[in-house]
Amino acid sequence: MEIRQLQYFLMLCKELHFSEAAFKIGISQPTLSQQIRVLEDELGIPLFDRMGKKIAKTEAGELLECYALQVIQQLDNAKKAIADLNDLHTGRLRIAVLPSDLDYRLTEILIDFRKEFPNTKVQVFPTIESLQRVLNNDVDIGISLKMNADSRLEQIPFYTETYSLFVNEKHDFAQKKSITPAELVNIPLVLYPQGKCGRDLIDTWCVKQGIAIDSVMETGSATSLFQLVQEDIGATIQPSQLIENFHSIGIVSIPIENAPIRELDIVYRKDRYLSKAAEAFIKMMIEKF
């Protein structure tokens, strides 16, 4: 049983005349008659009583009409739902993002996205395995540090930033215009734990600079690190623009000479359909950052 056959059947139910129904469908009367016979043969029961030029629905025809109307309506509902999905009226967007400071800075974008597309459900998954989540089709979009090219992925560079030293305004270095890598060695620091992307980036940079730094306290939250800086527990090394997003009081940002740099990519699978919602979110990310 095909959708086309059900559509022919319903038109005949409406017109109760083969010639009129065939005309409105846009096919010949013999073609319509043949398709109805195929349908009746499949069901093993007549759907119409033929009385010369007049026809009437049988009990089986009445029953099939009821269900056929539901089928066609559900198909129409599906088409409209997909159309709405393409128009960003409904649907779901899943995003894998580096944890810590970056997922925090997404909040403003998520708010704007929600205002513009209130019926699109957004799920954000903080993870250091953004690329793998994309490759596994667990998420639609990934946000990660710049990586070597992968032929399976579309990679869009969207942001590059340097790191700075953040200290309490009463810190001895608070008035400095810049700080050298060597000066970081003896400063009590509060940092992310090793294994976090931000910490690994800093440790790799330190090796290249020929220095070794240590932390007096570690936490996986950018917010808590800045709170520790506010309390003068230690200084922290974070992306230079991050302080603007915390509206912190009593914290000073000091540029680091030859500072660590991180480059961020938006990634998605090349062989997977990128929804309009995903395209819109990517555009927001690029414009915002």
Side-chain angles (χ1 to χ4, degrees):
M1 189 179 299
E2 300 175 357
I3 295 296
R4 174 173 51 87
Q5 291 173 324
L6 291 179
Q7 291 171 329
Y8 291 175
F9 166 74
L10 287 174
M11 181 60 72
L12 188 55
C13 287
K14 179 179 179 181
E15 298 297 327
L16 293 178
H17 195 287
F18 275 92
S19 295
E20 290 297 327
F23 175 79
K24 291 194 175 181
I25 295 170
I27 60 175
S28 67
Q29 180 178 334
T31 298
L32 176 58
S33 296
Q34 179 195 25
Q35 290 300 314
I36 296 300
R37 282 196 297 271
V38 169
L39 194 57
E40 291 176 326
D41 289 342
E42 180 180 347
L43 295 172
I45 191 170
L47 299 172
F48 297 94
D49 286 326
R50 294 157 175 84
M51 301 167 288
K53 292 185 178 180
K54 297 181 179 180
I55 62 172
K57 290 176 283 186
T58 64
E59 185 178 354
E62 295 277 4
L63 188 61
L64 180 61
E65 181 183 24
C66 178
Y67 283 103
L69 286 170
Q70 295 179 41
V71 170
I72 298 302
Q73 183 60 57
Q74 288 301 315
L75 179 62
D76 185 61
N77 290 343
K79 290 178 179 179
K80 289 180 179 178
I82 292 172
D84 284 345
L85 182 62
N86 285 332
D87 292 335
L88 302 177
H89 296 311
T90 60
R92 178 182 64 174
L93 178 61
R94 301 167 300 169
I95 307 164
V97 60
L98 291 171
S100 65
D101 64 285
L102 189 56
D103 61 330
Y104 182 90
R105 288 201 282 176
L106 281 178
T107 302
E108 188 174 348
I109 297 175
L110 293 173
I111 293 172
D112 292 341
F113 187 87
R114 176 68 178 177
K115 290 177 180 177
E116 190 168 351
F117 312 117
N119 295 320
T120 298
K121 180 178 180 179
V122 179
Q123 296 173 292
V124 179
F125 303 95
T127 175
I128 61 175
E129 298 180 341
S130 296
L131 299 182
Q132 196 58 49
R133 297 292 295 272
V134 173
L135 289 171
N136 291 344
N137 286 320
D138 295 329
V139 296
D140 306 298
I141 301 172
I143 300 172
S144 72
L145 295 178
K146 188 174 183 62
M147 53 161 194
N148 295 327
D150 187 311
S151 60
R152 296 169 293 178
L153 297 174
E154 188 70 40
Q155 301 165 221
I156 305 174
F158 76 101
Y159 193 53
T160 299
E161 63 183 347
T162 59
Y163 279 63
S164 292
L165 180 72
F166 293 88
V167 301
N168 185 282
E169 62 182 359
K170 297 179 181 178
H171 194 280
D172 291 342
F173 288 172
Q175 301 304 315
K176 290 176 72 69
K177 299 299 182 182
S178 65
I179 190 167
T180 66
E183 290 178 294
L184 296 174
V185 174
N186 297 317
I187 298 176
L189 295 171
V190 291
L191 300 170
Y192 295 128
Q194 291 182 337
K196 288 276 189 177
C197 293
R199 175 63 181 273
D200 290 348
L201 184 149
I202 292 171
D203 287 346
T204 299
W205 174 82
C206 287
V207 171
K208 293 179 180 179
Q209 299 301 313
I211 64 172
I213 60 174
D214 199 7
S215 56
V216 297
M217 193 170 293
E218 298 179 351
T219 175
S221 165
T223 303
S224 62
L225 288 176
F226 276 96
Q227 289 174 339
L228 292 171
V229 174
Q230 283 181 303
E231 296 299 324
D232 205 20
I233 301 300
T236 192
I237 301 172
Q238 294 290 335
S240 301
Q241 303 300 317
L242 188 57
I243 194 70
E244 298 176 2
N245 296 276
F246 286 92
H247 307 289
S248 300
I249 298 174
I251 295 179
V252 176
S253 172
I254 306 172
I256 301 172
E257 296 178 12
N258 195 25
I261 297 175
R262 75 172 178 181
E263 299 173 275
L264 297 172
D265 284 351
I266 298 173
V267 299
Y268 57 89
R269 288 190 65 113
K270 291 180 179 178
D271 60 354
R272 194 165 184 266
Y273 173 72
L274 189 66
S275 69
K276 297 291 182 64
E279 290 178 353
F281 190 84
I282 290 173
K283 182 179 179 182
M284 284 186 174
M285 286 286 296
I286 293 172
E287 291 176 349
K288 187 66 178 180
F289 277 84

